[in-house]
Amino acid sequence: MNLNPPNIGTIVSVRGSVVDMYFATKIPAIYSLIHARNNTCAIEVLSQLDAQRVRGIALTPTQGLARGMIVEDMGKPLLTPVGKKLLGRMFDVFGNTIDRQPPLTDLEWRSVHQAPPPLLKHSTHSEIFITGIKVIDVLVPLERGGKAGLFGGAGVGKTVLLSEMIHNMVSQHEGVSIFCGIGERCREGEELYRDMKDAGVLENMVMVFGQMNEPPGARFRVGHAALTMAEYFRDDERRDVLLLMDNVFRFIQAGMEVSGLMGQMPSRLGYQPTISTELATLEERIANTDNGAITSIQAVYVPADDFTDPAAVHTFSHLSASIVLSRKLASEGLYPSIDPLQSGSKMATAGVIGERHYEIAQEIRRTLAQYAELKDIIAMLGLEQLSAEDRNIVGRARRLERFLTQPFFTTEQFTGMKGKLVSLDDALDGCERILQDEFKDYPESALYMIGAIDEAKDKK
């Protein structure tokens, strides 16, 4: 005898991805998952219109849905699988495997809607997270258990930089990497899967994708699904997790679509009025606790390279480090095209990174800032019109710019250059020696795309 008879309702209206439903006996709770009978459509309840009617957003295409169709309240929210079996696999927002491998069985399932860890459980110890990429480790040090944003317009190298970080993390750290593709092109997902398989790091990775062609509801929830998986490895397995999200802007964009479909009044530039709340429910779950840390690196597309866009502004406030990619540096062939003067990290203080590192980083910024000021004079009058001291600054800055480039493992097949992993000591040593004019007589090209500074002597 079934003690809990199914809660049955009917569809009242279907408008795109928005479905209104009527339940005579018991109204479903917010975030409940509802399935249409005789159809594969899954709907998540987002608002209760009155005592009997709810409005939900479809997580799958709504083809075939019609008024009067029977729906069933599943009595639980959207669930995602967790556990060690997930490693090496690729999932969609529902926890289905999408990598043509045999499906997984005997999995534990958890709700994608979890509360962030209470402040009491947060770790207050600041620790640096080494990436092996010179310009990041020296100028924009990342925090273990922190959130770093990769800001840039289209085509400046956000996904390449993320791929390189995955490669370096898995080969250096004994942690788990979780890649979350929000509104990704399927081409990028497939390429990343192949690259990670070839690099031999797939067995320590989980990939979750909400593709670009999927309804906004699915793209809106895929970040929460990936975070639930990450929280399992942090809290149950007590392992460090690297969570890579590509792209946070697409999460905000999916929320904007959902908000518009639900009939909410848009705010500035058409964004949803609840943008800060929605972003906070995702970001606040990424934290460093006593059990382990979820370190997150998030790509953020900046519409039209406008950093005053509400999406970029709201994301900035959650981050401990922001890495800004520059189209100008990319056009000059200086990769990774990170703008040292616009990028910043809350870790870059003498108390956290040490006096020597702090002084070198400040001196690099000072030199590059002076060079930026002199560029207008050089463009108008030429380098010869500068004083000897200013010419030294320009030479130093240009050598620093070239030394802070680095060949990547993930781009070996395109560049023909072997990838380099550079320790923090080697990177600091190289920058210090350039600042002391040790490489004044070396051509600038000798410092371009090398690892440690001593490699310049071989190229001279």
Side-chain angles (χ1 to χ4, degrees):
M1 181 183 161
N2 188 3
L3 296 174
N4 292 323
N7 188 15
I8 301 297
T10 53
I11 292 178
V12 179
S13 72
V14 182
R15 296 186 311 285
S17 291
V18 177
V19 185
D20 287 3
M21 294 154 288
Y22 174 84
F23 286 84
T25 49
K26 182 185 164 207
I27 192 164
I30 298 287
Y31 297 147
S32 287
L33 203 61
I34 291 175
H35 278 285
R37 288 206 176 161
N38 311 323
N39 193 299
T40 53
C41 190
I43 303 154
E44 185 179 63
V45 175
L46 287 188
S47 73
Q48 298 174 337
L49 302 176
D50 55 35
Q52 256 104 31
R53 289 185 313 135
V54 292
R55 180 168 289 169
I57 194 94
L59 304 181
T60 50
T62 52
Q63 280 98 337
L65 288 192
R67 285 182 191 177
M69 194 176 266
I70 301 293
V71 289
E72 185 180 338
D73 174 15
M74 306 311 286
K76 53 181 186 273
L78 178 65
L79 302 177
T80 196
V82 295
K84 283 183 180 175
K85 289 183 181 176
L86 271 56
L87 294 171
R89 303 301 299 269
M90 194 194 261
F91 298 90
D92 65 8
V93 70
F94 297 103
N96 304 317
T97 52
I98 51 170
D99 52 7
R100 296 187 183 174
Q101 305 287 324
L104 295 169
T105 52
D106 301 331
L107 288 170
E108 183 190 340
W109 294 76
R110 288 185 188 170
S111 165
V112 301
H113 303 282
Q114 301 284 350
L119 272 175
L120 201 64
K121 290 194 174 174
H122 281 237
S123 170
T124 53
H125 178 61
S126 290
E127 204 177 316
I128 296 300
F129 192 74
I130 302 294
T131 63
I133 298 169
K134 288 183 283 195
V135 64
I136 293 177
D137 291 343
V138 173
L139 294 173
V140 201
L142 305 186
E143 181 186 9
R144 178 178 169 267
K147 298 183 269 278
L150 286 178
F151 291 85
V156 289
K158 295 186 296 295
T159 306
V160 170
L161 197 52
L162 275 187
S163 308
E164 184 70 8
M165 283 182 180
I166 298 173
H167 181 279
N168 293 359
M169 297 315 148
V170 178
S171 53
Q172 267 188 300
H173 301 260
E174 289 301 307
V176 176
S177 285
I178 295 182
F179 183 90
C180 174
I182 306 174
E184 278 293 273
R185 301 168 186 89
C186 58
R187 167 186 64 78
E188 290 175 341
E190 192 267 339
E191 281 174 8
L192 185 75
Y193 182 80
R194 260 188 300 130
D195 291 346
M196 295 303 117
K197 199 170 186 178
D198 294 345
V201 297
L202 199 61
E203 63 271 12
N204 280 317
M205 268 192 84
V206 184
M207 291 183 178
V208 195
F209 282 97
Q211 283 169 219
M212 221 172 221
N213 62 316
E214 292 184 33
R219 303 198 303 272
F220 192 49
R221 288 289 172 240
V222 72
H224 298 92
L227 259 167
T228 304
M229 294 175 181
E231 284 163 347
Y232 166 84
F233 287 108
R234 179 191 65 193
D235 301 334
D236 296 38
E237 299 270 331
R238 292 175 174 266
R239 291 173 78 174
D240 279 2
V241 183
L242 177 70
L243 175 68
L244 299 120
M245 294 168 87
D246 192 2
N247 180 316
V248 173
F249 175 76
R250 305 252 179 256
F251 167 76
I252 292 170
Q253 204 175 36
M256 185 161 75
E257 289 179 52
V258 169
S259 173
L261 288 165
M262 295 296 289
Q264 289 178 340
M265 186 75 80
S267 72
R268 198 160 80 83
L269 293 184
Y271 285 99
Q272 62 272 43
T274 49
I275 178 171
S276 55
T277 320
E278 288 168 4
L279 195 58
T281 53
L282 190 74
E283 297 281 4
E284 291 299 303
R285 290 169 64 182
I286 303 167
N288 184 1
T289 69
D290 301 331
N291 296 331
I294 299 177
T295 304
S296 169
I297 299 166
Q298 310 167 7
V300 185
Y301 166 70
V302 181
D305 293 343
D306 174 18
F307 285 92
T308 63
D309 188 89
V313 171
H314 282 287
T315 311
F316 265 123
S317 60
H318 288 280
L319 305 172
S320 53
S322 31
I323 299 165
V324 177
L325 298 174
S326 154
R327 195 173 297 284
K328 194 169 179 304
L329 290 173
S331 67
E332 290 173 26
L334 300 171
Y335 289 105
S337 52
I338 294 167
D339 186 331
L341 300 177
Q342 274 194 288
S343 305
S345 167
K346 289 176 183 163
M347 295 290 101
T349 61
V352 177
I353 58 177
E355 202 67 49
R356 176 180 172 245
H357 184 166
Y358 177 72
E359 287 300 330
I360 291 171
Q362 288 298 91
E363 188 57 38
I364 292 169
R365 284 182 197 280
R366 207 173 296 123
T367 307
L368 293 172
Q370 286 172 309
Y371 174 43
E373 284 172 17
L374 293 167
K375 274 182 180 173
D376 286 343
I377 301 170
I378 297 166
M380 285 188 287
L381 304 173
L383 196 61
E384 297 73 33
Q385 299 302 314
L386 296 180
S387 66
E389 191 187 336
D390 283 349
R391 277 205 296 274
N392 270 347
I393 287 168
V394 171
R396 223 173 284 150
R398 287 180 64 84
R399 281 170 179 79
L400 278 171
E401 277 185 342
R402 274 139 191 82
F403 177 63
L404 292 174
T405 61
Q406 191 167 336
F408 281 178
F409 292 96
T410 46
T411 56
E412 276 178 17
Q413 73 259 43
F414 306 116
T415 59
M417 285 185 254
K418 195 153 174 49
K420 298 274 164 63
L421 194 75
V422 184
S423 71
L424 178 61
D425 289 340
D426 283 348
L428 287 172
D429 178 53
C431 292
E432 194 172 39
R433 286 163 71 182
I434 292 170
L435 289 167
Q436 289 165 355
D437 286 340
E438 190 181 318
F439 292 85
K440 193 176 174 184
D441 302 324
Y442 280 64
E444 290 170 5
S445 57
L447 298 164
Y448 179 66
M449 285 292 173
I450 59 170
I453 194 77
D454 291 326
E455 291 175 32
K457 292 175 180 173
D458 305 329
K459 285 180 81 175
K460 190 179 175 187

